[in-house]
Amino acid sequence: PAGKAIGDTVVWEIAPGVFSTTAPNGVNMHWGIKKHDDPTRASVQDLAGFRDFFVYRLSETYLLAAEGYLLAGNPVKSAEYLNAVRRRASKPGTSLEPVDAADINLDIVLDERARELGGEEKRWMDLARTGKLVERVKRYNANGASNIADYHAIRPIPQQQLDLSTGEFPQNTGY
């Protein structure tokens, strides 16, 4: 729209004349991710199509290596792997600013995973396994910030599984 450019922060008009950078949490709010669209399907409800699907991603392997090297105390190698993903992701004729080894941290790796792998995996898994779930939900998700607690980093055991247990098998703390 007029006055906006690609890369600007998204702003919603949540009521006439009232604007917010927090997505409205309404029944009609959902994100569209076009990278999974399959133009060979007869309709969006048709399951038959010919588009390839993701099994393994080289970029995910590189990002896992970046995380591993970072946690092993080798930020130089970590930055090399992360920057390889950033170089490949830039539009032809442009470049993304490389991450310096002195600046790399787990948040930078997680941010890159979110950009590169958006819509392809469960973000909860990355945030829970790195111990960043509660911190990042509180920082970046105004809709969920007041509801997140430390115990959410572990999922509840389904009641059906508890019912099948013949011995004492307690529910995870908090559920």
Side-chain angles (χ1 to χ4, degrees):
K4 297 293 180 185
I6 292 176
D8 285 353
T9 300
V10 174
V11 179
W12 286 270
E13 186 169 10
I14 57 175
V18 179
F19 298 91
S20 175
T21 57
T22 302
N25 199 10
V27 295
N28 295 323
M29 179 65 190
H30 58 86
W31 298 102
I33 299 177
K34 298 226 176 261
K35 68 182 175 181
H36 299 296
D37 287 356
D38 185 347
T40 66
R41 294 186 312 172
S43 74
V44 293
Q45 288 84 20
D46 192 357
L47 298 178
F50 295 96
R51 181 151 188 197
D52 292 338
F53 59 90
F54 302 112
V55 176
Y56 296 106
R57 290 277 310 271
L58 181 60
S59 59
E60 183 179 16
T61 304
Y62 276 43
L63 291 167
L64 286 170
E67 182 181 330
Y69 277 115
L70 176 67
L71 296 175
N74 189 341
V76 172
K77 202 73 171 160
S78 176
E80 284 178 25
Y81 277 98
L82 189 128
N83 287 325
V85 173
R86 291 178 68 80
R87 274 191 304 279
R88 193 261 329 133
S90 4
K91 284 173 47 175
T94 68
S95 64
L96 294 169
E97 188 171 327
V99 174
D100 188 62
D103 298 327
I104 197 161
N105 60 42
L106 189 54
D107 286 316
I108 288 173
V109 174
L110 287 170
D111 289 347
E112 197 66 34
R113 286 185 68 82
R115 285 186 290 270
E116 180 67 23
L117 303 171
E120 295 178 30
E121 63 174 13
K122 303 282 187 218
R123 181 75 169 152
W124 180 89
M125 296 292 265
D126 281 342
L127 298 178
R129 73 177 171 75
T130 58
K132 294 282 195 169
L133 177 69
V134 173
E135 172 193 329
R136 289 176 71 98
V137 167
K138 285 184 177 190
R139 186 183 319 153
Y140 298 117
N141 184 347
N143 289 332
S146 63
N147 297 313
I148 191 82
D150 289 340
Y151 72 88
H152 289 124
I154 298 175
R155 298 286 193 193
I157 300 168
Q159 186 61 50
Q160 184 179 23
Q161 295 301 313
L162 293 173
D163 292 344
L164 291 172
S165 178
T166 57
E168 173 115 5
F169 202 85
Q171 179 59 272
N172 286 331
T173 303
Y175 295 100

